Amino acid sequence: MGDGGRSLDRASLPHPDDAAGAVAGAPTRPRPVPAVTRPRPLTAAGLLVAAALVVATVLLAGMAAVGTGRAGNPGGAGAARSAPAYTPSAAGTLRGLAPAGMLIGTAVDPRGLNLDPAYPGVLAAEFNAVTAENAMKWGNLEPSPGVYAWAGGDQIVDLARRNGQAVYGHTLVWHNDVPDWVSPDWPAQRLREVLRRHVTAVVAHYRGRVWAWDVVNEVLAEDGSLRDTLWLRKLGPGYVADAFRWARQADPDARLFVNEYGTEGRTAKADALLDLVRRLRADGVPVDGVGFQGHLDAERPPEGVRGNLRRFAALGVRVAVTELDVRVRLPATAEGLRRQAAVYREVLRACLDVAACASVTVWGFTDARSWIPGYHRGFGAACLFDADFRPKPAHAALLDELAARRRTGG
Ligand code: XIL
């Protein structure tokens, strides 16, 4: 049920770098044909074009940075900034070292893409998957009823295709970013119809281009009950199952995820999520995967992540770390960044140890564009690269972990 008989092993996932089997450093053992075929495997010619584009982007970004000079880091997330040229680490890149079938993704922020010279180069070189940080949220996609603004999401999807990256869709049903024109005063039937149209329109628009969707996001309250939202109040608990069924209908090949935070370790909320997913699947609802956001504090990392991922995988679903960042108290100290690196490494390890773990996606890769300082007062520096696009100890730790796994074949 739900998975249509597909293997849940990582090796059956779409993996742009591996699809052509010719990327430097890619494992040479034969891989099974990806059961999920999107994004379409690159042909050898396509791969050459993608590789050339990556190189050109890195070079152009470097030239632009040289042309404008270093501007330091004023920290204003809206401002254009220049940055030193990005050169991949001698140790390799995240996507280059990732094992067969594993996606290493990042959230993408169009401000970074369009304003930061170094951003596109790092994005293309380090990651083989992307998630739109905000561009595919309902409020951005449908500013007025029936009027769709696809440009932001499409830009990310088109770029991902050129970069040979898989696209993870975020997010269809959430209590945030519901457009203003959706009124809580409407009768249930009208709200349900509007939600159905939204899910159907978005999934259909990206059909064949998005390999997985966060169908519902953050549906649980801290105590594990269903969160008190407009959808629960007006439509009742069945809205969750409905959303999955609508999404399945609009794109039968997309993997459908429930996405949650505070469930990375073995918390009471994680117990409730496990229960929810088990019940949904027992009812025949097409839930294919569980996303663990992973917005973490370096001082208070979750415990038992590996075991937690395993117990979800045992339900027959894929699991994924969907929004990883590890915040530290500001100003960041060397010790803080060391702890942060250890937490990043631990989460990656947990995913690597669980065959059903499809991907680790970071919620932005540069401190220049991270949402953390705006939402967690006094915290920041949560990403793998600093605000000047220099790799931090956390990046080195991930490279090291991936390289060690290659050596040992683990
Ligand atoms: C955040 C974005 O990063 C911010 O830019 C935006 O202002 C608010 O949303 N959980 C989620 C994400 O599922 O969509 C959120 O993203 C972070 C928390």
Side-chain angles (χ1 to χ4, degrees), residues 13-322:
L13 288 165
H15 196 258
D17 287 342
D18 290 338
V23 174
T28 49
R29 69 193 151 89
R31 277 173 297 276
V33 176
V36 180
T37 53
R38 282 134 348 102
R40 307 216 188 297
L42 294 173
T43 59
L47 192 82
L48 271 177
V49 172
L53 273 165
V54 170
V55 171
T57 313
V58 172
L59 286 177
L60 276 173
M63 279 161 57
V66 169
T68 50
R70 288 280 305 279
N73 172 30
R81 68 184 72 239
S82 58
Y86 160 77
T87 43
S89 154
T93 62
L94 296 171
R95 71 183 288 175
L97 290 169
M102 179 162 191
L103 298 171
I104 306 256
T106 179
V108 177
D109 177 352
R111 294 167 310 165
L113 262 187
N114 300 327
L115 296 173
D116 299 344
Y119 192 103
V122 180
L123 173 67
E126 294 283 345
F127 301 96
N128 59 16
V130 294
T131 303
E133 183 169 346
N134 292 304
M136 293 188 190
K137 291 173 181 172
W138 191 357
N140 288 327
L141 284 184
E142 197 181 358
S144 39
V147 178
Y148 290 95
W150 301 114
D154 287 358
Q155 182 195 12
I156 290 168
V157 170
D158 292 345
L159 180 63
R161 185 170 176 75
R162 293 199 297 278
N163 285 338
Q165 293 161 323
V167 180
Y168 187 94
H170 176 78
T171 178
L172 299 171
V173 182
W174 196 21
H175 56 281
N176 285 334
D177 275 293
V178 178
D180 293 342
W181 55 264
V182 174
S183 166
D185 300 331
W186 286 347
Q189 209 185 356
R190 181 159 180 203
L191 275 169
R192 188 167 186 278
E193 181 52 19
V194 133
L195 188 64
R196 190 193 63 76
R197 268 201 293 117
H198 160 64
V199 171
T200 303
V202 175
V203 176
H205 179 79
Y206 288 111
R207 182 172 177 165
R209 297 184 289 165
V210 164
W211 81 270
W213 275 104
D214 284 334
V215 176
V216 294
N217 193 31
E218 303 178 346
V219 290
L220 293 183
E222 300 315 302
D223 69 359
S225 61
L226 279 180
R227 182 192 285 268
D228 179 22
T229 66
L230 165 67
W231 310 120
L232 183 66
R233 280 195 297 276
K234 297 295 287 246
L235 309 184
Y239 83 90
V240 175
D242 286 344
F244 277 93
R245 293 193 169 112
W246 295 329
R248 176 64 99 228
Q249 219 172 14
D251 184 353
D253 293 327
R255 307 292 85 205
L256 306 181
F257 277 65
V258 38
N259 196 44
E260 192 52 83
Y261 71 89
T263 49
E264 297 78 13
R266 293 185 81 118
T267 57
K269 196 178 180 188
D271 295 348
L273 182 63
L274 189 74
D275 219 52
L276 174 68
V277 173
R278 186 188 288 126
R279 274 186 285 119
L280 287 169
R281 285 176 58 90
D283 288 348
V285 179
V287 179
D288 304 316
V290 179
F292 300 84
Q293 292 188 1
H295 295 294
L296 306 180
D297 179 339
E299 298 297 326
R300 294 184 301 157
E303 281 167 23
V305 177
R306 180 179 294 94
N308 192 46
L309 295 184
R310 282 213 173 107
R311 64 181 181 150
F312 279 87
L315 296 180
V317 292
R318 292 191 173 117
V319 294
V321 180
T322 50

